[in-house]
Amino acid sequence: MPEPTRIEVSAAHADERLDRFLVGHFGSRAAAQKAIETGLVRVDGELRPKRWTLSEGEAVEILPPVAAEMPDVGPQPHLEPVYIDQWIVVSDKPAGIVSHPAPGHPTGTLAQILQARLPHSDIGLVHRLDRDTSGLLIAALDSETLRELRERLQRREIVREYTALVMGRPKTAEGTIEAAIGRDSRSRTKVSTRTDTPRGAVTHFETLEVLDQAALLSVRLETGRTHQIRVHLSEIGLPVAGDPTYGRAGAWGLSRQFLHASRLHFTHTVTGESIELRSELPEDLREALELARRGERP
């Protein structure tokens, strides 16, 4: 197997972002970011985000593309595509799988699993799901399709709907939560409205079913910030059931938050076809919902 390319950071490039530093090697910032996201880049042996600020003397290693074709992804869950053609693949991601390689999760990610199964494609995830959020996720099979789909996502032309079980009862049958969020100013592991780096975020919800101690909601994202649904619902007093960070862990036997990406709707970038996809609740969420419907204590 070819050896990785190793570049030592000089004083001239200290304090430069990782993706900008790699433009000269990959030819464009987009290509550099793609390599970082798919786990081909290490800084002193560690995965780092594209925004990582480099220091003089650090060693940036770039793995050859073949390393991404058959990564060590460990035991693979059944991931039969919900939709696939020569440009787009939509997966029904199980809970417990990370979308992209990241510190603490260098292998076994959805991006790597897809790349291993489609080795002649240039896999790029259009959006992400939290590790313990299940459901539908779009990936492009070439760079042009990825660019177009991400632009459509920014223009809010891709509909993403989630099903959430929340603790408590909504005061209205439907509503919109519009509140800027960012990294919490007191806890760097959380996102909240109490932040020094606010970014606009809009979430719409509709009540599907009101239960004794909970409610089942359909939630639609207008923006896609980190932890957006979980934070927004918690902020209005309706934390997602089972959420260990923003709600109550273990409610109704849940080992994760009750949040499932249940519907996608978008127009195909090449064929112009209107694509509508749905995903049923997985077994663990169905069981928790049944307990809540029976009036069991959370």
Side-chain angles (χ1 to χ4, degrees):
M1 180 177 292
E3 292 295 318
T5 300
R6 188 177 186 277
I7 308 171
E8 185 168 322
V9 180
S10 66
H13 292 284
D15 298 324
E16 190 171 0
R17 276 176 52 137
L18 178 59
D19 56 352
R20 290 181 182 143
F21 176 77
L22 292 171
V23 167
H25 180 86
F26 289 100
S28 72
R29 191 166 169 186
Q33 291 176 347
K34 175 68 184 303
I36 294 166
E37 290 176 350
T38 53
L40 290 180
V41 177
R42 303 286 192 277
V43 179
D44 283 347
E46 300 289 338
L47 288 166
R48 297 301 184 191
K50 63 186 178 183
R51 296 182 179 85
W52 179 260
T53 301
L54 294 167
S55 299
E56 182 181 359
E58 284 184 321
V60 178
E61 286 190 342
I62 305 163
L63 303 179
V66 69
E69 291 182 4
M70 293 299 294
D72 177 16
V73 296
Q76 295 186 31
H78 182 68
L79 277 177
E80 192 68 27
V82 176
Y83 175 92
I84 187 169
D85 58 27
Q86 68 188 85
W87 302 283
I88 296 169
V89 59
V90 178
S91 300
D92 197 344
K93 186 186 86 67
I97 293 182
V98 176
S99 296
H100 275 298
H105 299 281
T107 61
T109 68
L110 181 64
Q112 291 169 321
I113 291 170
L114 289 174
Q115 190 67 69
R117 294 192 178 185
L118 300 165
H120 301 296
S121 300
D122 187 16
I123 296 293
L125 301 189
V126 177
H127 57 109
R128 304 187 186 200
L129 294 176
D130 293 341
R131 181 186 63 185
D132 290 326
T133 296
S134 52
L136 300 172
L137 190 150
I138 312 172
L141 303 184
D142 63 79
S143 58
E144 179 60 26
T145 301
L146 178 64
R147 181 193 62 77
E148 177 61 28
L149 284 172
R150 284 183 172 173
E151 287 181 359
R152 292 187 184 191
L153 191 67
Q154 291 180 346
R155 297 196 300 264
R156 302 171 184 176
E157 295 174 1
I158 297 177
V159 176
R160 293 174 291 164
E161 289 185 2
Y162 296 71
T163 302
L165 183 69
V166 297
M167 312 283 289
R169 296 180 170 188
K171 296 179 181 178
T172 58
E174 58 185 37
T176 296
I177 308 164
E178 188 168 357
I181 60 177
R183 289 294 172 188
D184 188 277
S185 56
R186 290 168 291 186
S187 174
R188 304 307 297 170
T189 62
K190 291 184 177 182
V191 174
S192 77
T193 56
R194 298 167 293 280
T195 179
D196 298 323
T197 55
R199 300 183 70 189
V202 181
T203 305
H204 306 281
F205 72 88
E206 178 184 352
T207 304
L208 301 177
E209 186 176 354
V210 177
L211 308 175
D212 184 39
Q213 303 172 76
L216 190 67
L217 306 183
S218 174
V219 184
R220 179 170 58 85
L221 283 176
E222 188 168 314
T223 54
R225 309 303 182 199
T226 299
H227 297 181
Q228 178 176 319
I229 293 174
R230 298 161 62 193
V231 171
H232 269 178
L233 290 175
S234 178
E235 290 283 346
I236 63 170
L238 297 172
V240 176
D243 190 334
T245 304
Y246 306 104
R248 178 176 169 183
W252 291 293
L254 288 162
S255 60
R256 59 158 173 135
Q257 63 264 10
F258 193 120
L259 189 60
H260 182 68
S262 51
R263 176 176 175 258
L264 278 173
H265 179 261
F266 61 96
T267 300
H268 199 288
T269 58
V270 178
T271 68
E273 176 187 3
S274 177
I275 298 175
E276 173 95 16
L277 300 169
R278 294 182 182 272
S279 171
E280 299 298 322
L281 290 176
E283 184 177 1
D284 63 329
L285 301 190
R286 293 198 307 269
E287 291 176 351
L289 179 57
E290 184 57 32
L291 289 175
R293 283 171 171 162
R294 294 206 305 255
E296 299 283 347
R297 294 179 62 85

